[in-house]
Amino acid sequence: MGGTSTRPAVARIVAAAGVVLAAGALAGCADVRSPEALTIAVTATSAEPRPSLAAVEDLVADHAAASLLPGDGMVRLVVQGDPEVHEVDLTPMRGDDVEADFARIDEKVAENLAVLEDDLAGAAAATDGNDVLGVLDRALEATPEGGRVILMGSGLSTVDPVDLTKAGAWIQDPEAFAATVDAANLPDAAGKHVTFAGLGYAVPAGPQRTAGPASRDALTALWGALCEASGAASCDFVDGQPAASAPAATNVVPIVELDQLETACIGGATIDGNVSFGGDSAELTPAGVAAIAPIAQSLKTCTAGQVVHGVGHAAEVPGSDDGVELSLARCEAVFAELRRAGVPEEVLGDCVGLGSREGQIVDNTPDGVFDEALAKLNRVVELTVEQG
């Protein structure tokens, strides 16, 4: 492993709606095409950040700006447990007509986006659990063929048939778990496009841990496989952290376990810096040593050929360096404790420090302001065990 992020590139999408001019356009015979339908679906549970357009604002703005006729910029909003499909019209209007002044279109779209942002901020799951597949199903039903569904949420589903609290080592082989879901229980996405945003992000400092890069990769693979099995025309992923504000929901959501090394020799685990390291320290606390003990016990029983790799992270502190040395020292401290606990040297692989500029768990300086609660989530060491 080198000093760069090992996360795979995710698909970036740009709204494709617009005007298509036929050969006879100069003669006044323009063949125009309105943007395809757009639906935003949110699980909006108590375990997830409050829904926000933060990660998909450009995509939604492009949809609105491509409006050719009144109502073209309509966006449907589906919320977990809410039987009503809400609508917000983002079409930039001037009176009864679509705004044609390019200098004012962005201004009017921004005003309409603020209305949609307010509606998202008030969204709250009306049923318990995190029902990702159920919300996706309803959103697809509300979207005509050729349209797009943007599914915003952590993807940490806790409702059958995708209950990750009972899925075993789904991080180890997400595609294999996806294959166990009966096709009869999947929504019909034929002819429609699906975009996932916010996978892996939980409420900062909440009981549900935010997924690290390895777990987010597994979630991407899992939902990508289920999306393809549903027959979608395309399945895309928008990376990036949602807004970190507290959710409006109060529903009960089970915890999805993200540390699987205690039960499997291939998987991942996170050494929580909140209890393992001080703010500017690579010295393991007694709580950190205790957290490593069961991982070491598991590694000692693994069969030959399996190797554990470590990636250290650091919080971004304004005015400080990039934290690479600190994050590497934290990784090395964890490896030193694994050695002390009896893990064979041949099981220990590479140690990498990504610092605070690359592969962060969350952005701990939103709007340029340091947030200690978010910074704690970045003081971690991620361990990944794989076949050597």
Side-chain angles (χ1 to χ4, degrees):
M1 293 175 63
T4 59
S5 173
T6 57
R7 301 192 63 204
V10 296
R12 302 288 182 177
I13 59 180
V14 178
V19 179
V20 179
L21 298 179
L26 294 179
C29 300
D31 174 22
V32 296
R33 184 177 66 214
S34 296
E36 301 290 359
L38 179 64
T39 302
I40 295 178
V42 294
T43 41
T45 71
S46 63
E48 300 169 300
R50 191 180 296 255
S52 168
L53 292 173
V56 297
E57 184 171 350
D58 288 346
L59 189 158
V60 179
D62 286 347
H63 168 81
S67 298
L68 301 175
L69 302 170
D72 273 357
M74 186 67 71
V75 172
R76 298 168 179 84
L77 178 60
V78 173
V79 182
Q80 177 177 316
D82 183 350
E84 183 179 355
V85 177
H86 305 268
E87 292 185 336
V88 179
D89 193 356
L90 303 182
T91 309
M93 300 291 294
R94 179 172 57 184
D96 294 332
D97 300 316
V98 176
E99 178 62 69
D101 184 350
F102 289 110
R104 300 204 61 193
I105 288 177
D106 287 347
E107 176 184 339
K108 290 183 177 293
V109 168
E111 292 173 356
N112 294 338
L113 286 175
V115 175
L116 177 57
E117 188 73 69
D118 285 344
D119 284 359
L120 284 171
T127 55
D128 286 339
N130 190 341
D131 188 9
V132 182
L133 203 62
V135 171
L136 177 59
D137 185 25
R138 289 187 53 238
L140 287 167
E141 288 180 346
T143 306
E145 186 173 353
R148 180 176 298 279
V149 172
I150 299 176
L151 181 59
M152 297 166 53
S154 68
L156 295 170
S157 180
T158 66
V159 176
D160 286 329
V162 186
D163 185 352
L164 298 185
T165 67
K166 301 185 297 187
W170 62 271
I171 295 176
Q172 174 184 337
D173 196 342
E175 290 92 348
F177 171 70
T180 67
V181 179
D182 191 329
N185 292 324
L186 293 176
D188 181 6
K192 303 171 187 179
H193 305 269
V194 180
T195 297
F196 295 87
L199 290 182
Y201 288 96
V203 177
Q208 174 62 60
R209 178 176 292 172
T210 288
S215 300
R216 291 203 299 272
D217 288 348
L219 284 168
T220 298
L222 169 63
W223 287 109
L226 291 173
C227 179
E228 291 180 6
S230 297
S234 68
C235 304
D236 301 301
F237 299 86
V238 175
D239 200 7
Q241 176 188 348
S245 52
T250 57
N251 68 326
V252 178
V253 182
I255 301 300
V256 175
E257 180 59 59
L258 299 177
D259 289 348
Q260 298 187 356
L261 285 183
E262 294 182 27
T263 57
C265 286
I266 297 179
T270 300
I271 308 302
D272 186 355
N274 190 31
V275 297
S276 301
F277 303 105
D280 191 28
S281 172
E283 182 176 352
L284 277 168
T285 65
V289 172
I292 293 171
I295 297 173
Q297 184 60 37
S298 175
L299 291 173
K300 287 190 290 185
T301 62
C302 289
T303 58
Q306 287 164 331
V307 179
V308 59
H309 300 291
V311 178
H313 300 270
E316 181 176 0
V317 179
S320 297
D321 63 19
D322 59 13
V324 170
E325 291 187 7
L326 175 61
S327 62
L328 177 59
R330 285 172 172 164
C331 182
E332 290 173 339
V334 170
F335 269 38
E337 179 57 27
L338 290 173
R339 290 188 185 92
R340 192 202 65 76
V343 175
E345 191 65 34
E346 60 268 21
V347 175
L348 300 176
D350 297 322
C351 232
V352 175
L354 295 185
S356 60
R357 304 288 194 265
E358 182 182 354
Q360 277 201 308
I361 308 301
V362 298
D363 175 10
N364 68 259
T365 56
D367 300 322
V369 179
F370 178 81
D371 187 318
E372 173 60 23
L374 297 177
K376 290 179 179 179
L377 301 179
N378 285 325
R379 299 181 187 124
V380 301
V381 174
E382 291 187 299
L383 301 177
T384 302
V385 182
E386 58 188 36
Q387 193 67 34

